[in-house]
Amino acid sequence: MTAATRTPDSFTIAGREYQSRLLVGTGKYKDLDETAAAIEASGAEIVTVAVRRTNIGQSPNEPNVLDLLPPSRYTILPNTAGCCDVDSAVRTCRLARELLDGHNLVKLEVLGDEKTLFPDVVATISAAEELIKDGFEVMVYTNDDPIIAKRLEEIGCCAVMPLAAPIGSGLGIRNRLNILTIVENASVPVLVDAGVGTASDAAIAMELGCDGVLMNTAIAAAKDPVLMASAMRKGIEAGREAYLAGRMPAKRYASASSPIEGTFF
């Protein structure tokens, strides 16, 4: 099957189908115009917003990001960035649902350490269980532990989002084998979340079989965020195509492109 005839490649989260496997955030841009231009260049269909830091209607006297990102065009993914305990995370999701007219898809993160921003896994599981019981569709930020990732899937999370490296670090995927194990054992979408620095990092995540990548700082902190958003879009697409194509086996020694067997002289 050629690229021209290949069936469009999509994935599904919480019953909704998406073509773009790049998910982006709205923080750290210099202004709303740059935010809009970068998101447009990324081709993203899902945009995450930090409810505790971004106005989606809770502050009538400030610019509303939904004017920039209409829910008719984008899937808005409220997140619990900055929450360090179960109660605040659950409360933040409920506020988002109220502001977004019953919207139930959320990104859950419960942080346990201010320096690394690693997740508090115990609190994350507790918050996920409470939110799922309350009817939320939970996409969950977690560490790169395959056992915890599977546990979060089993309690009902609709997507598991292991970190590549600490949030905002730009270090790229630190533990490819763990990410690969999570992907191999998952029955829900797996999206790398946090730590991507450049387009090659995004491509690696996709080559490992991840369903998508969520990023913010890697784009917003670039010297040219709009150009980086375009690069990330292409990196995601290239990595996905490489995964679908099936890479050649890695070998220790050389293997000539033109073998000597069958030569004329």
Side-chain angles (χ1 to χ4, degrees):
M1 183 179 293
T2 67
T5 60
R6 186 178 298 122
T7 302
D9 180 44
S10 62
F11 75 117
T12 301
I13 294 179
R16 183 168 176 178
E17 189 174 297
Y18 298 95
Q19 301 299 320
S20 173
R21 294 173 180 270
L22 175 57
L23 291 69
V24 297
T26 58
K28 301 184 179 181
Y29 292 97
K30 68 179 181 181
D31 54 39
L32 291 179
D33 288 340
E34 184 178 76
T35 305
I39 292 173
E40 179 70 26
S42 76
E45 297 172 273
I46 302 176
V47 180
T48 187
V49 295
V51 179
R52 301 182 75 186
R53 301 170 184 159
T54 307
N55 181 32
I56 57 172
Q58 64 269 48
S59 301
N61 298 322
E62 296 181 11
N64 189 329
V65 75
L66 298 184
D67 294 333
L68 182 74
L69 303 168
S72 59
R73 177 177 179 186
Y74 298 99
T75 293
I76 304 302
L77 181 62
N79 70 60
T80 60
C83 293
C84 297
D85 60 80
V86 174
D87 289 344
S88 63
V90 171
R91 185 167 60 251
T92 298
C93 290
R94 288 174 175 159
L95 172 61
R97 180 163 64 183
E98 181 177 340
L99 292 170
L100 295 173
D101 299 323
H103 181 87
N104 284 322
L105 183 65
V106 295
K107 179 198 163 189
L108 171 66
E109 57 183 75
V110 185
L111 305 178
D113 179 88
E114 292 184 3
K115 184 176 182 179
T116 65
L117 300 182
F118 283 153
D120 180 334
V121 172
V122 175
T124 297
I125 291 174
S126 295
E129 289 175 330
E130 186 168 344
L131 289 168
I132 290 165
K133 288 178 182 177
D134 197 21
F136 284 92
E137 298 280 1
V138 178
M139 300 173 65
V140 60
Y141 166 69
T142 183
N143 58 21
D144 59 3
D145 182 338
I147 305 302
I148 295 300
K150 193 63 180 177
R151 171 64 178 149
L152 289 164
E153 176 187 330
E154 289 170 346
I155 66 176
C157 293
C158 66
V160 176
M161 308 177 74
L163 57 82
I167 293 172
S169 67
L171 290 173
I173 298 177
R174 298 291 84 195
N175 197 331
R176 299 185 190 185
L177 293 179
N178 275 21
I179 298 295
L180 181 59
T181 301
I182 291 171
V183 169
E184 289 176 340
N185 292 327
S187 300
V188 297
V190 175
L191 301 94
V192 159
D193 178 15
V196 168
T198 190
S200 57
D201 299 328
I204 288 169
M206 300 310 297
E207 289 170 2
L208 291 172
C210 292
D211 295 280
V213 181
L214 188 150
M215 64 182 75
N216 185 175
T217 306
I219 296 175
K223 291 181 180 179
D224 186 334
V226 178
L227 186 58
M228 183 59 83
S230 175
M232 290 297 188
R233 178 178 186 169
K234 294 166 186 170
I236 292 283
E237 292 171 353
R240 179 63 180 173
E241 287 189 2
Y243 171 75
L244 293 174
R247 65 157 290 156
M248 63 168 283
K251 300 177 181 178
R252 184 177 178 186
Y253 297 109
S255 177
S257 297
S258 300
I260 60 173
E261 294 84 0
T263 54
F264 294 108
F265 56 87

